[in-house]
Amino acid sequence: MSTRATIAVHRPDRTYAAVYLHYDGYPEHTGEILMQSYQTQTAAEELVSHGDLRCLNRETGEAERFSDGDPPAKLPSNDSLIDFARNCGARFVYVFDDGAWSYKEL
């Protein structure tokens, strides 16, 4: 069974770019990788810019993507981000905002 998550970046225009993550979405895996490998706005934007993720590699931090994954969702508010995450079956939501990652368990 997978631990699903949503990974999002809060953009300067106050919208969110969000993607679905299928495997290993728990903080001890995905949270640690995000904080170690995606520490800047540019890195976080790059991560979500290519769409949905299968998983993040623990050793390299690199994203493994679905060949047919959806592009990132552009969401206007935090409420719409939470709705998106719930619709994806996410247990965790990670948000890069103002230079740092935070997460919430749903």
Side-chain angles (χ1 to χ4, degrees):
M1 187 157 174
S2 58
T3 303
R4 298 173 182 156
T6 294
I7 299 174
V9 176
H10 201 191
R11 293 181 161 163
D13 67 1
R14 307 314 296 162
T15 63
Y16 293 86
V19 296
Y20 167 74
L21 173 73
H22 189 72
Y23 290 112
D24 300 325
Y26 50 92
E28 297 82 9
H29 181 86
T30 294
E32 288 181 12
I33 292 169
L34 292 174
M35 287 187 274
Q36 292 171 3
S37 299
Y38 300 93
Q39 300 175 346
T40 66
Q41 184 78 23
T42 301
E45 291 271 2
E46 177 65 21
L47 175 65
V48 301
S49 69
H50 300 288
D52 290 343
L53 304 169
R54 185 176 182 278
C55 64
L56 294 173
N57 183 297
R58 179 173 288 288
E59 293 172 13
T60 65
E62 293 181 14
E64 182 178 323
R65 300 184 186 280
F66 292 106
S67 60
D68 61 349
D70 290 330
K74 185 173 181 179
L75 305 166
S77 67
N78 187 64
D79 288 343
S80 61
L81 173 61
I82 298 303
D83 287 344
F84 173 83
R86 286 189 174 125
N87 288 336
C88 291
R91 182 172 170 194
F92 297 97
V93 179
Y94 297 90
V95 178
F96 188 86
D97 188 18
D98 199 25
W101 287 101
S102 63
Y103 78 93
K104 175 181 183 169
E105 185 170 1
L106 298 179

